[in-house]
Amino acid sequence: MPARSLGSVALRKAEDMEGGLHFNVFTVDFNEELVALYGGSLLRQTHFLHESIKAILRLYKHLKTPPQSVVLVGHSMGGVVARALFTLPRFNTNLVSLIITQASPHLAPVLALDPYLLDFYSAVRQKWVNQAKKLRNVTVLSVGGGYRDYQVRSGLTSLPCPPGDPNKLSLVATAVPRTWVSTDHLSIVWCKELVLATVRALFDLIHPETRQFSVNPEKKMAVLSHHFIRHPVRMLEETQETSVSISDFPESWSEVNTLRLAYSTPKEGQVKYFLFALSSRRKAYSHFYCRSNNLEMSSWVYGCVNASSCVHTVDLSTGTELLPPYKVLVLSLSNLSSVTHLLVSASNLNGKQFTVECEWQRQESQTLSVPAPHVLSFGLTASDVSVNSSGLLHIIQLQHFHQVYQALRINVASQCKVHKDRLPNVYRIHVPWFGEDSLTTASVPSVTEISGMLHTSRPDNSSGVLLLLHTAPNCQYKVSVRTSLPRVLGQILRFCGPMVPVYTAVTLLLACRGQLCSILKSRRSADMSQAVGKGLQPHQVNLPVYILHMLLSCSWFQDVWSVLYLPPMDALPSTTPDMTFHEGGVPVEEWPHPLSPLFYIWGAAVAFWGSALLRLIVRLISLILAPLHRPSVSRDCGTLPRRTLLLITLSLTVMGGVSCGALSIFAAFLLHLYRVLRLQMTERSLSHMLNLAPRQHKEAENGSVEGDSQSRSTECNGAPLLSECALQEVRDDLQLHLCLSALFTLPVMLIAPSLIHWIRNLRYSPQLDPDPCWPLSVPLIIVYMLLINCNTLKLSNSKLLPLTSCIPLPMSIAMVTFSPLHLYRVSYFLLAALVPLASCVLL
């Protein structure tokens, strides 16, 4: 929780201030519920927060001027709950005037594992978008953690609001002045730099007369912009007039007639001013650049109307930008029509040494362009540009760099002929459409590598990404830009991670289809590893999805689609701040279709190694449980009689209704896993027995091994229990049930957050309410229990097997079409494919 860090820092700051001003910081404990994955508690948390705010304000009713509102600081889903307050029908919007969120996924949930989560997000988004005018008095600041936050990517922290809303601000911690670092999901709460910026902003928001937080939206945005965007010397609404007379300190004035000034203050304190005439520079130059490593945020650059006295000056320091090693001011000469001279203060009355460097610039000549290499260049080609100018600031336009799946490795090499003490270089990647700038400080000379990646893609009609080089004078710089393949893959996985479990389910479902086809053809199941390997069939899955995308661009097909009441197709997650939404409130955007086979390969890899891990776990557990069971040689080991099966099914159904549906599903999964363990123990026992049996006895039992597969299966049906045929039957059943068990694992993993939430809150209530698993639990339990008694012989004799083997492929296509942004739908599609398979056991 952010309360501890904010409270301690605010207390120390209040102790150093006069007037007895202090903050009361309260924390709202949500018991660390997994609401990021289970949305059933989000509405209760919202109501609890509402009641907490009213209880807090009641504590101050005895005061003459009690506070009327509070400031909310929320971390992760706490920030989403804070914005959800305004969806409550009886909530007074005047109770909250400012919301500060840290690493909160405002755009969409990280993983949509239940419909309650999506409904909650949809309600919050509709409230803030459709009633934006009514909520303009509420200021919201969202801060993302950056690339070190692996749980919530910073693109999701962007606030979904109408374009041009002046009271909503979204940025990344790397762009916050005096912070400039990325944080992980938890450390953003106690990051000292961010805590200091937040506390300073809260103190500046106090109205001097009422001693309460200001309710003026312009005032709030000015303070937040001051501390979280540029951090100039003072806020814009503060007026400051400075009068400097040359006659007072004639020896301290120096007029600069050169193109550049480089001045270092002496150890002794002195008053020093430099005067720059504008009249002779307006035609040749467009900007004036000045920097100083005196980081005291005080006025230092002025505009004079009369150079002889400078009695009336204009403070031009408000545009100062704070960088890690120095402060920088860039002035456009076109905006200084009423100013005749520029005055730069280099006074160090306290004896502190610092350096001031200023120069006239023509921005056109100091702006270069370099094309970003194509993603498919794999880093083999590079785009190079050399900076031979001696200026202090150079701008490099990174052309064609505007998508999140692009990742660049930018190398900047600096070389100077004369070695002397210089101010360090600052390389800044500036993203105009989102506050995600990143800064890198480097010494001179040096070779520095910069990581060029984006949190959001460029919206329409936005300028491109800029690389700003704050350089040392009289040095040469070479910039090399390459594509980084590992970072490209990392970006794709970061943004499209939810696609991997979908394709994992597709691979396992098609592996089950391969097992059914093998049983239908040869009455034997295939090896599980081979079946999973053959589950990688992008031509059968992705091609129909591509065709659906193409057909949906036609109006007549859209009409047919709507007549069938089909939901919209799930595209890949949105990457732009101005996204479009599905009806469920999930942002969508078109990604390049060639990426789908890549997701399929990743999903197939997870399925392959996951199934291998499952086989290993089954073998290890079976070794542990073997001493507790009698050796068995029958393929029916672990099966249940019909009455017992019916009784257990009813018991699990009732248990799911009165407690938690996920618990009953998990129990049914364990019962099927026990069947797999018994088959593994039986397979090991039969193998050991046959290895100990005499060779002649085994040949007599096995009979002839010639003939087709039908004759071999006929021999096995009448073979003794201790025979090679019996061993093969057990192995066939084991491979079938291993494949089914891997498929059953997916729904169990998707419902795990509900089960964990129920266990953590069991002391408060024995029933999970609402339960997103209840509609799914009853049919899924029946399927799990029926398939416990399944074997290859029953399937091969079933008349429904040909039809059942055809269902997994269309279910896989539907899964890819409708599940990437609604992961809970994966369980429903798996259920639709497993119901016919369970029917084969009965018919």
Side-chain angles (χ1 to χ4, degrees):
M1 296 294 293
R4 182 183 303 174
S5 301
L6 292 177
S8 60
V9 174
L11 177 61
R12 293 181 181 180
K13 185 174 178 62
E15 290 175 347
D16 298 334
M17 297 178 62
E18 297 179 356
L21 181 67
H22 70 279
F23 290 146
N24 290 333
V25 181
F26 299 86
T27 178
V28 179
D29 185 10
F30 290 135
N31 198 27
E32 298 183 359
E33 295 176 330
L34 299 177
V35 291
L37 303 177
Y38 168 72
S41 293
L42 282 170
L43 189 57
R44 285 202 300 265
Q45 288 188 357
T46 307
H47 285 284
F48 179 68
L49 179 59
H50 184 202
E51 296 300 323
S52 300
I53 293 174
K54 292 190 293 185
I56 290 171
L57 292 178
R58 284 197 296 267
L59 298 175
Y60 302 92
K61 278 190 173 182
H62 64 281
L63 300 178
K64 293 182 179 180
T65 57
Q68 302 298 320
S69 64
V70 298
V71 172
L72 297 180
V73 181
H75 171 250
S76 192
M77 292 301 293
V80 180
V81 172
R83 293 177 62 244
L85 278 173
F86 297 86
T87 64
L88 300 180
R90 297 183 179 180
F91 179 72
N92 183 5
T93 57
N94 296 323
L95 294 181
V96 178
S97 61
L98 173 63
I99 301 175
I100 300 176
T101 67
Q102 300 171 340
S104 299
H106 294 294
L107 270 187
V110 178
L111 292 175
L113 296 183
D114 66 64
Y116 301 116
L117 195 60
L118 292 178
D119 293 342
F120 184 83
Y121 266 86
S122 177
V124 175
R125 179 187 61 84
Q126 290 179 5
K127 180 69 176 182
W128 284 85
V129 173
N130 298 337
Q131 300 185 16
K133 293 183 179 180
K134 295 182 180 180
L135 300 177
R136 283 190 178 274
N137 292 332
V138 184
T139 303
V140 184
L141 169 66
S142 175
V143 182
Y147 285 105
R148 291 186 179 178
D149 191 343
Y150 297 106
Q151 298 183 42
V152 178
R153 59 179 178 88
S154 295
L156 292 178
T157 62
S158 176
L159 293 168
C161 56
D165 192 333
N167 298 315
K168 309 300 181 291
L169 183 62
S170 305
L171 45 85
V172 183
T174 55
V176 177
R178 297 188 178 182
T179 303
W180 299 303
V181 294
S182 176
T183 65
D184 60 51
H185 191 64
L186 294 179
S187 65
I188 193 173
V189 171
W190 55 76
C191 174
K192 181 180 178 181
E193 291 78 5
L194 273 179
V195 171
L196 289 174
T198 305
V199 171
R200 292 189 188 107
L202 293 178
F203 273 93
D204 288 343
L205 285 170
I206 298 297
H207 195 281
E209 296 180 0
T210 62
R211 298 174 66 86
Q212 300 296 332
F213 287 110
S214 174
V215 295
N216 185 355
E218 290 77 14
K219 168 71 174 181
K220 290 184 289 185
M221 283 305 299
V223 171
L224 295 179
S225 299
H226 175 84
H227 290 283
F228 288 91
I229 297 182
R230 292 187 65 89
H231 205 295
V233 296
R234 57 181 176 83
M235 282 176 278
L236 294 177
E237 70 274 8
E238 296 178 357
T239 59
Q240 180 176 354
E241 293 185 1
T242 304
S243 177
V244 181
S245 178
I246 296 179
S247 60
D248 295 338
F249 305 98
E251 70 282 356
S252 64
W253 288 69
S254 299
E255 186 169 358
V256 181
N257 296 318
T258 58
L259 299 180
R260 182 181 297 114
L261 166 70
Y263 176 76
S264 298
T265 59
K267 294 182 179 180
E268 300 79 14
Q270 67 172 12
V271 178
K272 191 67 177 179
Y273 296 97
F274 293 97
L275 198 63
F276 296 82
L278 281 171
S279 57
S280 60
R281 307 294 185 183
R282 292 186 183 274
K283 294 183 179 180
Y285 300 96
S286 62
H287 291 77
F288 179 77
Y289 175 94
C290 202
R291 66 189 182 192
S292 171
N293 60 351
N294 177 20
L295 298 183
E296 294 182 2
M297 301 309 291
S298 57
S299 299
W300 61 298
V301 179
Y302 309 91
C304 298
V305 178
N306 186 358
S308 60
S309 62
C310 275
V311 175
H312 299 289
T313 62
V314 180
D315 188 2
L316 303 177
S317 307
T318 55
T320 302
E321 186 174 14
L322 187 63
L323 300 181
Y326 39 71
K327 57 186 178 183
V328 172
L329 178 62
V330 181
L331 297 174
S332 175
L333 302 188
S334 60
N335 298 330
L336 304 175
S337 57
S338 61
V339 177
T340 59
H341 291 75
L342 296 177
L343 181 65
V344 178
S345 174
S347 303
N348 63 331
L349 298 179
N350 56 3
K352 182 179 180 180
Q353 291 184 288
F354 57 87
T355 301
V356 177
E357 294 180 345
C358 303
E359 73 171 4
W360 300 99
Q361 292 184 345
R362 181 184 298 169
Q363 204 166 81
E364 293 181 359
S365 61
Q366 293 179 296
T367 302
L368 303 173
S369 298
V370 57
H374 197 272
V375 175
L376 298 180
S377 63
F378 304 115
L380 301 178
T381 60
S383 299
D384 300 331
V385 61
S386 297
V387 179
N388 297 319
S389 175
S390 59
L392 301 178
L393 174 65
H394 300 278
I395 302 174
I396 297 180
Q397 298 175 348
L398 299 176
Q399 298 178 342
H400 316 303
F401 179 47
H402 50 79
Q403 296 293 342
V404 294
Y405 55 80
Q406 295 176 283
L408 304 179
R409 189 174 71 248
I410 305 173
N411 289 301
V412 182
S414 60
Q415 184 177 3
C416 304
K417 296 181 180 179
V418 179
H419 295 279
K420 61 179 182 179
D421 292 337
R422 305 173 186 268
L423 293 179
N425 297 324
V426 176
Y427 309 137
R428 179 173 193 160
I429 296 181
H430 175 60
V431 182
W433 60 83
F434 189 59
E436 55 176 296
D437 291 13
S438 59
L439 291 86
T440 303
T441 304
S443 59
V444 186
S446 64
V447 178
T448 306
E449 181 175 313
I450 306 172
S451 178
M453 296 184 293
L454 298 175
H455 295 288
T456 56
S457 294
R458 182 180 67 182
D460 296 335
N461 303 323
S462 297
S463 55
V465 179
L466 301 178
L467 175 61
L468 306 179
L469 305 178
H470 296 269
T471 58
N474 302 318
C475 295
Q476 293 183 346
Y477 292 81
K478 183 179 181 180
V479 180
S480 179
V481 182
R482 293 177 181 270
T483 294
S484 175
L485 182 60
R487 293 170 185 167
V488 168
L489 297 177
Q491 283 288 90
I492 295 175
L493 187 60
R494 177 190 296 269
F495 283 84
C496 305
M499 294 290 293
V500 176
V502 173
Y503 279 106
T504 300
V506 168
T507 303
L508 292 176
L509 189 58
L510 293 183
C512 183
R513 170 175 174 257
Q515 292 280 29
L516 298 180
C517 292
S518 177
I519 295 173
L520 183 63
K521 181 179 180 180
S522 62
R523 305 176 69 86
R524 292 181 55 183
S525 60
D527 183 76
M528 182 183 178
S529 59
Q530 296 179 359
V532 174
K534 293 180 180 179
L536 180 61
Q537 300 177 9
H539 62 285
Q540 294 189 5
V541 177
N542 293 127
L543 185 59
V545 176
Y546 295 159
I547 295 174
L548 283 177
H549 273 284
M550 295 175 60
L551 291 176
L552 280 174
S553 61
C554 303
S555 58
W556 64 270
F557 192 79
Q558 294 177 3
D559 296 336
V560 174
W561 192 275
S562 59
V563 168
L564 296 175
Y565 294 99
L566 293 175
M569 290 185 66
D570 276 5
L572 293 177
S574 173
T575 60
T576 57
D578 55 344
M579 74 304 295
T580 56
F581 288 86
H582 271 334
E583 294 179 358
V586 180
V588 295
E589 181 183 329
E590 291 296 330
W591 277 63
H593 288 300
L595 291 178
S596 297
L598 178 63
F599 304 144
Y600 203 156
I601 293 174
W602 284 344
V606 173
F608 181 83
W609 292 109
S611 60
L613 179 62
L614 176 64
R615 293 198 303 272
L616 179 61
I617 293 175
V618 167
R619 290 179 181 178
L620 293 177
I621 297 178
S622 64
L623 284 174
I624 298 174
L625 297 180
L628 304 178
H629 296 78
R630 292 182 179 180
S632 173
V633 294
S634 172
R635 70 188 306 175
D636 294 329
C637 58
T639 57
L640 298 173
R642 289 205 170 190
R643 289 186 178 181
T644 305
L645 194 68
L646 179 60
L647 181 61
I648 294 177
T649 302
L650 292 176
S651 301
L652 292 179
T653 303
V654 173
M655 182 179 67
V658 300
S659 59
C660 175
L663 177 64
S664 58
I665 294 175
F666 182 67
F669 168 77
L670 292 180
L671 289 174
H672 180 268
L673 184 62
Y674 178 74
R675 162 75 161 145
V676 180
L677 293 172
R678 290 301 306 271
L679 284 171
Q680 182 69 58
M681 287 185 279
T682 301
E683 189 268 343
R684 186 182 298 110
S685 299
L686 276 174
S687 298
H688 291 171
M689 292 177 184
L690 291 176
N691 288 333
L692 295 176
R695 180 178 181 84
Q696 295 83 359
H697 179 65
K698 289 190 292 183
E699 290 179 354
E701 289 178 342
N702 294 337
S704 175
V705 296
E706 297 179 357
D708 56 5
S709 59
Q710 184 67 28
S711 62
R712 288 201 302 269
S713 62
T714 303
E715 290 179 5
C716 289
N717 290 337
L721 291 178
L722 186 60
S723 64
E724 290 288 348
C725 288
L727 176 61
Q728 187 60 51
E729 290 175 350
V730 173
R731 285 177 174 172
D732 288 344
D733 292 347
L734 177 61
Q735 296 301 321
L736 173 64
H737 281 277
L738 279 173
C739 191
L740 291 176
S741 183
L743 198 61
F744 293 166
T745 305
L746 289 172
V748 173
M749 295 178 66
L750 293 176
I751 65 174
S754 298
L755 180 60
I756 296 173
H757 179 84
W758 174 78
I759 293 174
R760 291 171 61 98
N761 294 273
L762 188 58
R763 55 181 175 175
Y764 305 113
S765 174
Q767 184 178 13
L768 181 63
D769 183 31
D771 189 354
C773 303
W774 171 244
L776 179 71
S777 61
V778 176
L780 202 59
I781 291 171
I782 296 174
V783 168
Y784 279 19
M785 300 306 295
L786 288 176
L787 290 178
I788 289 178
N789 292 344
C790 174
N791 57 44
T792 55
L793 179 61
K794 290 183 179 180
L795 292 180
S796 60
N797 294 331
S798 175
K799 297 180 180 180
L800 295 178
L801 184 60
L803 177 62
T804 303
S805 62
C806 298
I807 293 178
L809 181 58
M811 289 298 104
S812 299
I813 297 173
M815 203 182 303
V816 176
T817 305
F818 299 109
S819 298
L821 299 179
H822 302 76
L823 286 179
Y824 64 90
R825 292 177 179 173
V826 170
S827 300
Y828 290 91
F829 287 116
L830 292 179
L831 178 63
L834 291 174
V835 167
L837 181 60
S839 302
C840 292
V841 181
L842 299 175
L843 303 177

